[in-house]
Amino acid sequence: MSTADFVVVANRLPVDRNTDGGDGGEWRRSPGGLVTALEPVMRSTEGAWVGWPGKADLEFEPFEFDGMHLVPVPLSADDVADYYEGFSNDTIWPLYHDVIAAPRYRRNWWEAYQRVNLRFAEATAAIAAEGGTVWVQDYQLQLVPKLLRDMRPDLTIGYFHHIPFPAYGLYSQLPWRKQVLEGLLGADVIGFQRVADAGNFARAVRRQLRYETRASGIRVPTSDGGHRTALAKAFPISISTDDYIELAQRPDIQARAAEIREDLGNPKKVLLGVDRLDYTKGIRHRLKAFGELIEDGRLSVEDVTLVQVASPSRERVESYVQLRDEIELTVARINGDNDTWGHSAIRYMHQAFPREEMVALYLAADVMLVTALRDGMNLVAKEYVASRVDNKGVLVLSEFAGAADELASAVRINPHDIDGLKDAIVRAVEMPTAEQGRRMRALRKRVREHDVDDWSRLFLDALTAAARGHGVTTRSVSTVDEEQREA
């Protein structure tokens, strides 16, 4: 079996099974920024991608697709239920998103998580070349870095955490908190979306493992009695900005944007929310604020329409079923109380759309509402900004989304403050064109300068530096001193 100098390890392969009978063979490329970001590196290094094919009980031999070597990791129906839907999405996801929903701690889920992480590590160890580089992606695989280091100490290992990392007071609830921290510290570079997330991680390491830290470095003991330094810092992810600009400049997509406004009854202002149907996204808060604005008479149904796109998510998880029912009842109530023959208050769509249609929606929307209660980044905010080639439109952005650290010219809101959210929406609706232009130009400059290529380059540069510095240590302040400062 051939080996690869560069290996990406993610819960999912970058392809979907082609079941529509169309051209292109058995597999088709998955949409998504991660695939776009890593594809050039994969091609230049003839890299491999280790991941689950996406359906239970499917087993495939490694295969080639579009210049990438793909290594499927099979999961049984029980694995999907316990490792993925259970521990990953009903324990880690709510815990890491500030316990907006209550996490559940089940020992059989943890056992499945360990078992599946070991399977991913073994598949990676088998395909990685001597002295190669491995980049592990996200919260489903937090144990893989240490498992892989134990198997293959010759490798340089990176890990990127796409979701928030919680404050210590929340993280400490996790019964297996030390094992997860030790798993992550198997990596040479541990990347986070926000500086605050990296700080939360370092604090948890100090409190739980008593390891020494200084700046971004964490001093990790090794089996031979020595130590090595793991780098933990922020590498905020971004989008393929040029792709969105190119789409937004296409005449057919601009025509589709005008058609969308026509279909909505040509309101004076179109508000837009685009989210996965998830309790972290603040959809309920957004609907409450908008409904109250109509009831208060501050917005008129004839003048303003809210388009809410909520793509399906984790439909077998009970909390998500309940969320969908609640949102659909809220939309029905607001529309029932306020719709006219020519205009609807809210146009709600529980479905996903291709990128071309999303860019048309972004161009049609005068105000983009990102009201996340907690979000690692929120790339929708950046997609909206990149698409506004006309330098118009207003981004209303939650301070609890990672994007708020970068997109300083957005109208920032605390989504828990419904009155403040209402005021921000009215401000956005009434914002003069000149102010829109000033804000949007600043936002677009940031998104263009820091795109997804910049993100992957910065992370891989840090990994390269780590490879050169294997075994090098830095002097660090003692854990006791750190704890005294925190006290």
Side-chain angles (χ1 to χ4, degrees):
M1 179 174 58
S2 61
T3 59
D5 290 323
F6 180 71
V7 183
V8 171
V9 192
N11 179 62
R12 286 290 302 274
L13 288 174
V15 293
D16 294 320
R17 191 89 183 275
N18 192 354
T19 57
D20 60 9
D23 295 334
E26 188 176 13
W27 301 94
R28 61 186 171 199
R29 176 173 160 168
S30 302
L34 184 62
V35 183
T36 303
L38 298 182
E39 187 177 36
V41 185
M42 301 288 286
R43 289 181 186 280
S44 64
T45 60
E46 297 184 349
W49 190 303
V50 177
W52 173 44
K55 291 188 178 180
D57 300 312
L58 285 181
E59 294 202 29
F60 297 95
E61 292 297 316
F63 61 97
E64 303 295 321
F65 179 88
D66 201 18
M68 295 182 286
H69 184 67
L70 305 185
V71 182
V73 176
L75 297 182
S76 68
D78 287 343
D79 291 333
V80 174
D82 294 342
Y83 144 79
Y84 181 67
E85 294 176 349
F87 194 82
S88 295
N89 292 325
D90 214 357
T91 300
I92 293 296
W93 180 269
L95 177 65
Y96 284 27
H97 285 85
D98 289 357
V99 195
I100 294 167
R104 293 194 288 175
Y105 306 113
R106 294 190 173 177
R107 285 169 290 180
N108 62 312
W109 290 356
W110 167 245
E111 290 165 2
Y113 188 80
Q114 292 176 288
R115 183 173 65 248
V116 172
N117 271 243
L118 178 60
R119 197 178 308 157
F120 273 85
E122 289 172 341
T124 306
I127 196 67
E130 182 72 23
T133 297
V134 174
W135 194 358
V136 183
Q137 305 290 330
D138 221 4
Y139 66 103
Q140 301 95 346
L141 303 174
Q142 294 175 99
L143 307 183
V144 167
K146 183 178 188 301
L147 291 168
L148 196 56
R149 181 166 296 281
D150 291 343
M151 298 174 193
R152 294 285 308 275
D154 59 293
L155 298 174
T156 300
I157 303 168
Y159 170 91
F160 188 76
H161 196 75
H162 292 258
I163 68 173
F165 195 91
Y168 178 73
L170 295 176
Y171 180 77
S172 59
Q173 293 181 21
L174 185 66
W176 309 282
R177 54 201 183 184
K178 288 186 178 180
Q179 294 96 312
V180 169
L181 294 174
E182 289 168 345
L184 293 171
L185 287 170
D188 296 288
V189 178
I190 307 147
F192 298 91
Q193 300 281 26
R194 308 181 81 165
V195 172
D197 294 325
N200 287 342
F201 173 74
R203 190 166 297 109
V205 168
R206 289 197 297 270
R207 294 286 185 87
Q208 284 297 317
L209 303 179
R210 315 297 293 181
Y211 292 172
E212 298 178 7
T213 66
R214 184 178 186 180
S216 302
I218 297 175
R219 197 170 188 241
V220 183
T222 55
S223 56
D224 60 4
H227 70 272
R228 59 183 183 83
T229 299
L231 178 69
K233 64 175 291 187
F235 297 89
I237 199 170
S238 194
I239 61 170
S240 181
T241 309
D242 289 343
D243 289 351
Y244 283 89
I245 293 172
E246 182 180 335
L247 288 170
Q249 291 173 335
R250 275 173 39 182
D252 61 319
I253 290 180
Q254 293 177 358
R256 175 59 186 146
E259 184 181 354
I260 289 171
R261 293 188 71 101
E262 180 75 26
D263 291 344
L264 294 171
N266 278 322
K268 292 180 181 177
K269 297 289 182 177
V270 175
L271 314 184
L272 176 63
V274 175
D275 311 89
R276 245 179 357 94
L277 187 63
D278 192 285
Y279 48 75
T280 65
K281 301 299 183 181
I283 301 173
R284 289 174 291 197
H285 298 64
R286 183 182 315 159
L287 295 178
K288 181 175 179 63
F290 182 71
E292 288 188 9
L293 285 170
I294 295 174
E295 292 169 13
D296 297 345
R298 297 176 69 185
L299 295 180
S300 164
V301 174
E302 285 79 11
D303 294 337
V304 180
T305 297
L306 170 61
V307 177
Q308 177 60 58
V309 177
S311 57
S313 173
R314 300 169 190 161
E315 296 190 291
R316 299 195 333 182
V317 178
E318 181 61 28
S319 60
Y320 287 78
V321 175
Q322 293 174 357
L323 175 65
R324 177 181 177 181
D325 289 345
E326 182 180 342
I327 287 173
E328 290 179 354
L329 284 170
T330 302
V331 170
R333 179 185 58 78
I334 293 172
N335 283 344
D337 289 346
N338 298 287
D339 280 7
T340 66
W341 290 116
H343 296 87
S344 280
I346 302 171
R347 185 68 63 87
Y348 173 76
M349 286 162 287
H350 179 59
Q351 53 193 286
F353 293 100
R355 183 180 291 185
E356 290 80 2
E357 184 76 353
M358 291 311 307
V359 172
L361 271 170
Y362 294 147
L363 290 174
D366 301 285
V367 179
M368 183 81 220
L369 299 177
V370 177
T371 58
L373 307 181
R374 191 77 164 92
D375 217 337
M377 176 53 62
N378 195 289
L379 295 179
V380 164
K382 294 186 176 184
E383 291 170 3
Y384 178 73
V385 168
S387 300
R388 295 310 305 221
V389 292
D390 58 358
N391 287 320
K392 294 180 181 178
V394 183
L395 174 63
V396 176
L397 179 60
S398 168
E399 63 190 69
F400 303 117
D405 288 357
E406 300 178 83
L407 304 182
S409 295
V411 176
R412 286 167 59 104
I413 52 100
N414 171 3
H416 299 282
D417 176 7
I418 299 299
D419 286 336
L421 176 55
K422 289 163 63 178
D423 290 343
I425 291 172
V426 171
R427 179 184 175 194
V429 167
E430 297 177 347
M431 185 175 291
T433 303
E435 184 180 350
Q436 290 182 36
R438 286 195 302 272
R439 289 173 175 269
M440 189 57 69
R441 280 190 290 272
L443 292 170
R444 288 176 53 76
K445 181 174 185 292
R446 174 68 190 189
V447 171
R448 293 194 74 163
E449 289 177 351
H450 299 275
D451 64 3
V452 73
D453 292 334
D454 184 60
W455 168 75
S456 60
R457 178 184 55 79
L458 288 172
F459 191 96
L460 293 173
D461 283 351
L463 262 187
T464 300
R468 287 198 298 264
H470 266 162
V472 176
T473 63
T474 57
R475 183 178 179 277
S476 49
V477 298
S478 73
T479 308
V480 173
D481 289 345
E482 290 284 353
E483 297 297 342
Q484 287 174 344
R485 273 206 295 272
E486 287 179 7

